[in-house]
Amino acid sequence: YVLILSKDFAPPQLQRSIDDYLRTVPEAVIGALTADEFQTARGALVTRFREPDRTLAEAFSRRWTAIEEETYDWARRAKLADALEAVTLEQVRALAARLTSAPRLAVHVFGNNHLAAFGENDGSGSVAIDSWEAWRAAQDVWGDVELQ
């Protein structure tokens, strides 16, 4: 998820900026990525996930996150590294193309400074919903994926 807070811009304006970014950046960045650049970036991520904790605080923080999220998956970083090693540039490009058109849930919270923009059309074709569960169930892009 993405969380954006702004005291200067109302949610509809921020939504337009996010949508513009999602329409242009994946193609501009990932489309231009060479195989060598991809291997370098992927290798850096794999290395980062395989790095041992350098301090007791790092070790504690990582383990506490697993406890707090109730995953108790102590090998999560190693699993992520293994999964990343198998990812191809073509898969990343396909995912980026899919994400630019995938349905998404955007929650706009209006502060006192931006109440005048409440109800403003953000250009995304968004509609108010009563239940995010019902919205999610209506989206075929998710398939059988369990969201936690």
Side-chain angles (χ1 to χ4, degrees):
Y1 71 90
V2 176
L3 175 65
I4 298 174
L5 302 173
S6 175
K7 67 177 186 168
D8 298 322
F9 301 101
Q13 186 175 358
L14 292 172
Q15 188 68 54
R16 285 189 293 272
S17 296
I18 292 166
D19 292 342
D20 289 344
Y21 176 88
L22 289 175
R23 273 192 296 276
T24 58
V25 171
E27 179 60 33
V29 174
I30 296 172
L33 198 61
T34 68
D36 287 341
E37 291 169 330
F38 173 76
Q39 286 179 331
T40 299
R42 182 183 59 191
L45 279 172
V46 168
T47 298
R48 183 174 177 189
F49 282 122
R50 294 205 190 283
E51 260 181 16
D53 296 317
R54 291 173 292 214
T55 65
L56 185 58
E58 281 182 8
F60 178 80
S61 176
R62 188 165 51 86
R63 285 166 180 82
W64 186 254
T65 299
I67 293 168
E68 190 174 58
E69 293 175 354
E70 298 181 11
T71 62
Y72 311 110
D73 187 356
W74 314 120
R76 182 171 186 237
R77 287 171 50 171
K79 291 176 185 175
L80 284 170
D82 292 344
L84 278 170
E85 286 178 329
V87 172
T88 67
L89 178 55
E90 292 73 29
Q91 290 171 319
V92 171
R93 286 184 176 148
L95 176 63
R98 186 173 172 204
L99 289 177
T100 59
S101 62
R104 63 189 180 281
L105 177 64
V107 177
H108 294 179
V109 178
F110 291 79
N112 290 334
N113 293 344
H114 304 297
L115 288 177
F118 186 75
E120 179 183 322
N121 183 351
D122 62 20
S124 68
S126 62
V127 295
I129 61 171
D130 294 323
S131 161
W132 74 268
E133 291 97 345
W135 174 86
R136 181 196 175 275
Q139 308 305 315
D140 64 352
V141 74
W142 300 113
D144 294 330
V145 174
E146 281 298 315
L147 299 179
Q148 297 183 12

